[in-house]
Amino acid sequence: MKTNPFTQIITAFAILLPVALGCNTSAKEKPATAEELSRMNRDFAAALNAKDAVAATNCYAEDATLYPPNEPAVTGRENILNYWKDAIEAGATNVTVKTIATGSEGNLGWETGRFRMDVQTPDGKVVMDNGRYTELLKRTKDGKWVSIMGMWNADAPPVP
């Protein structure tokens, strides 16, 4: 029986997150606030809107992985930088994010939310993309939360 890659990712996430959270907990650490956890995506959206792929990429851990819709996974900061450079050059703009839920345990956290982004097509037409996202985050030594895995999908089906 052939397994859907999305199902494999969700299954791995469901199995590994509780293990990872259990390994990184400390009785002294307070859970992160929604403000702290959602800062990464707000900074990311501001960077894309400023057409700054480097700043957008700095929102990710060195070994982070993106799971863009209908595309292969993108792993590592250099590849993520190239991905967002291409997105900016392709006309991604007017990005907004809205946090729906957050949570953390120790130095691991998550955020789910909604996004909106305009994308300019090669013929100059602007298409509005709305959808949902999930970020798995880790707290760095300096206290900043960065993405270790980001996944998103659009509300509308892909354009053929």
Side-chain angles (χ1 to χ4, degrees), residues 40 58-61 136-140 144-148:
M40 175 264 159
N58 287 337
C59 295
Y60 295 90
L136 295 182
L137 306 161
K138 76 174 181 180
R139 187 180 358 228
T140 62
K144 179 180 175 184
W145 288 91
V146 295
S147 177
I148 56 176

Side-chain angles (χ1 to χ4, degrees), residues 16-115:
L16 295 176
L17 185 63
V19 172
L21 291 175
C23 294
N24 285 315
T25 60
S26 168
K28 294 185 230 172
E29 294 181 39
K30 290 191 256 178
T33 66
E35 171 68 26
E36 291 171 309
L37 293 165
S38 62
R39 165 70 44 209
M40 175 264 159
N41 268 309
R42 289 193 317 276
D43 290 348
F44 170 77
L48 281 188
N49 289 333
K51 301 189 181 320
D52 187 344
V54 171
T57 302
N58 287 337
C59 295
Y60 295 90
E62 195 66 44
D63 58 349
T65 300
L66 302 179
Y67 293 102
N70 308 305
E71 296 181 56
V74 179
T75 300
R77 196 176 273 162
E78 183 176 340
N79 293 326
I80 291 170
L81 173 63
N82 291 330
Y83 183 88
W84 291 121
K85 277 183 181 177
D86 290 348
I88 290 168
E89 289 173 14
T93 188
N94 296 327
V95 179
T96 60
V97 293
K98 179 182 179 193
T99 301
I100 302 296
T102 62
S104 70
E105 183 75 33
N107 289 323
L108 291 175
W110 57 271
E111 177 193 8
T112 62
R114 303 231 4 114
F115 73 87

